[in-house]
Amino acid sequence: MTTSSTPLVIGRVIGDVVDNFAASVKMTVTYSSSNKHVYNGHELFPSAVTSKPRVEVHGGDMRSFFTLIMTDPDVPGPSDPFLREHLHWIVTDIPGTTDASFGKEVVSYEMARPNIGIHRIVFVLYRQKKRNQGVVVWSPPPPPGVLGCRDGFSTRIFADDNELGLPVSALFFNCQRETASRSRR
């Protein structure tokens, strides 16, 4: 299991988003448009994360399938995250040893746009029991007439509803609103 000195514990990803787990698969996340790699706890600005990142799964084989979730547990602000979590992206059926572009995008990518404070943007990877497992995204489902609100999502409930078990990998970066002068560069 993850020890108390790991970045996921210190950054409260373990606790706020997922339960303690033993990482068994390596995952890399790169924002190609800005050539930025995601490292636990490092900062990326919204201008660097405008388009989908390349998420590579370095584990399993072509017969293993993975689900990727990207979420923000600090919405609307880290001091009072009453809308926790905000869902940014879900991709399922990602074959092992490939990247997310080979999977099925269930919820389209939405870039991080924090308004208040420093937000953690979290990528969580789960091993699926089988391909085309069928995915329940919102539980309970959104009210009639609402297509699906991204706020109030729960990674834990999603994993439980879809029988995914504990994560096999996770990464996070910090993101905050850019000042006008910084975003113009």
Side-chain angles (χ1 to χ4, degrees), residues 128-163:
Q128 296 173 202
K129 291 182 179 178
K130 61 182 181 179
R131 186 176 188 179
N132 296 321
Q133 192 165 313
V135 175
V136 176
V137 178
W138 285 277
S139 177
V146 177
L147 294 176
C149 180
R150 292 177 184 246
D151 290 335
F153 180 79
S154 171
T155 300
R156 280 188 184 92
I157 291 172
F158 176 87
D160 192 47
D161 287 350
N162 292 286
E163 300 177 358

Side-chain angles (χ1 to χ4, degrees), residues 1-110:
M1 294 302 215
T2 310
T3 63
S4 62
S5 63
T6 68
L8 294 173
V9 173
I10 293 168
R12 296 183 340 270
V13 170
I14 291 177
D16 287 352
V17 180
V18 296
D19 294 324
N20 201 6
F21 70 96
S24 58
V25 171
K26 183 180 178 198
M27 170 176 58
T28 57
V29 179
T30 307
Y31 281 93
S32 302
S33 59
S34 60
N35 198 29
K36 299 284 186 179
H37 297 274
V38 172
Y39 298 104
N40 283 323
H42 287 213
E43 184 171 43
L44 296 178
F45 287 103
S47 60
V49 299
T50 57
S51 57
K52 284 183 213 179
R54 178 178 172 92
V55 179
E56 296 177 276
V57 177
H58 305 277
D61 56 37
M62 293 294 285
R63 296 174 310 226
S64 308
F65 295 93
F66 297 87
T67 292
L68 172 72
I69 299 170
M70 178 182 168
T71 185
D72 177 349
D74 299 318
V75 173
S79 62
D80 185 19
F82 65 89
L83 295 175
R84 174 178 290 165
E85 302 163 32
H86 182 84
L87 178 61
H88 284 275
W89 195 27
I90 295 180
V91 182
T92 64
D93 296 333
I94 304 167
T97 72
T98 68
D99 65 71
S101 68
F102 289 90
K104 177 182 173 189
E105 188 174 74
V106 176
V107 175
S108 62
Y109 178 80
E110 180 183 87

